[in-house]
């Protein structure tokens, strides 16, 4: 007999989990979290998971508490005799720490992978990792989905003429190149120098942007310093319009204010991370359908490759 499927939500992703469950024709399972006065917390399933294929949906932003909650939920499911446990992490925290870029620093993404496997997870499902090689940090299956599945159709619906796809830095050039080839559009790369983390120094553009409608592609926007500086610079170089598309709306610190005050016409995100506030220039697209379809394909042992555009 096939193991029953159950979907549960971490406290940071309840809204997204509800949409995913609805798209999959399921209900979100009952779980609870008890918080102690010293900051410790305890997770509990309020229904049986014995013999079930359990999918736990939790984006790990902010990373520390939400990651710990996910680990506890995985451990609780394993100790309650779940058949399989899959961690569905639309936004994978600590992904920017994928290598030693200077002496005496941690590789945070590898540590998180070790923690998830130590907790007993059987599979990980995520979207638009900051670095693709993080998949290799796991010794279990990793389903790496792409925000392009919802972002590209929206971009096509705008019917922009003289379209140029731009990368905000050299690291994102591969992603921008994939978009430009798919859309048969031009390509530009913004070259920046960082004074320190989250602080951008000088910036210039490589490629033709004058009289073009430019769309900047990125995996995440954090403080929005890079993306807004790039937009202002592209506008100064004669771009007709500048938009930005990114999978993850981290949006910390002054990000909302910077976006509103910048030359950006709009910024489009998926709902992998819940928005902290509404903003006139920010648009959100749902990834519930793509995750629901992938979850059901995994559960039914079917291919998931048809869910990818790029």
């Amino acid at each position: 007999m096939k193991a029953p499927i159950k979907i549960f939500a971490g406290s940071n992703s309840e809204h997204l989990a509800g949409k995913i469950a609805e798209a999959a024709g399921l209900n979100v399972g009952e779980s609870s979290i008890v918080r102690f006065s010293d900051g410790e917390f305890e997770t509990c399933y309020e229904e049986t998971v014995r013999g079930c294929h359990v999918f736990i949906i939790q984006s790990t932003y902010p990373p520390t508490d939400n990651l710990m909650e996910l680990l506890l939920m995985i451990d609780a499911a394993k100790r309650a005799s779940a058949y399989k446990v899959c961690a569905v992490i639309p936004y994978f925290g600590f992904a920017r720490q994928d290598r030693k870029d200077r002496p005496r620093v941690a590789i945070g993404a590898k540590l998180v992978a070790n923690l998830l496997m130590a907790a007993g997870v059987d599979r990980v499902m995520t979207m638009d990792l900051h670095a693709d090689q993080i998949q290799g940090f796991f010794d279990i299956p990793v389903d790496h989905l792409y925000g392009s599945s919802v972002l590209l159709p929206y971009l096509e619906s705008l019917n922009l003429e003289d379209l140029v796809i731009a990368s905000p830095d050299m690291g994102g050039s591969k992603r921008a190149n994939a978009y430009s080839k798919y859309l048969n559009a031009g390509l530009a790369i913004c070259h920046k120098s960082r004074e320190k983390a989250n602080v951008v120094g000088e910036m210039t553009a490589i490629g033709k942007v004058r009289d073009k409608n430019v769309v900047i592609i990125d995996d995440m926007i954090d403080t929005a310093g890079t993306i807004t500086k790039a937009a202002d610079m592209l506008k100064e170089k004669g771009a007709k319009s500048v938009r930005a598309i990114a999978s993850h709306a981290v949006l910390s610190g002054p990000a909302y204010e910077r976006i509103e005050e910048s030359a950006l016409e709009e910024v489009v995100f998926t709902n992998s991370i819940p928005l902290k506030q509404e903003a006139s220039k920010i648009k959100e697209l749902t990834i519930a359908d793509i995750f629901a379809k992938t979850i059901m394909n995994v559960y039914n042992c079917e291919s998931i490759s048809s869910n990818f555009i790029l």
Side-chain angles (χ1 to χ4, degrees), residues 198-213:
N198 292 136
V199 178
V200 181
E202 295 182 357
M203 178 175 283
T204 187
I206 304 169
K208 185 180 178 182
V209 296
R210 183 171 295 279
D211 299 323
K212 303 291 185 180
N213 290 302

Side-chain angles (χ1 to χ4, degrees), residues 96 101-102 192-202 222-223 225-226 229 258:
R96 283 174 281 189
D101 55 356
R102 61 184 188 275
K192 67 182 178 182
S193 60
R194 280 200 183 276
E195 295 178 358
K196 57 183 178 179
N198 292 136
V199 178
V200 181
E202 295 182 357
D222 189 351
T223 62
T226 298
K229 192 160 187 173
R258 284 176 173 172

Side-chain angles (χ1 to χ4, degrees), residues 34-71:
V34 176
R35 298 187 182 276
F36 302 99
S37 59
D38 65 348
E40 181 182 340
F41 52 87
E42 176 185 70
T43 61
C44 178
Y45 294 98
E46 302 296 340
E47 58 185 78
T48 183
V49 296
R50 183 178 296 275
C52 294
H53 200 146
V54 174
F55 292 84
I56 305 167
I57 300 169
Q58 174 80 313
S59 281
T60 52
Y61 176 81
T64 47
D65 277 5
N66 289 303
L67 173 61
M68 192 64 197
E69 182 183 336
L70 176 61
L71 293 170

Side-chain angles (χ1 to χ4, degrees), residues 16 19-25 145 149-150 271 285-297 307:
L16 176 57
K19 289 187 173 183
I20 292 173
E22 182 181 0
L145 308 184
S149 301
V150 295
N271 59 344
L285 303 177
T286 183
I287 51 174
D289 289 343
I290 184 70
F291 269 93
K293 186 176 180 182
T294 305
I295 285 171
M296 295 311 298
N297 284 1
N307 298 337

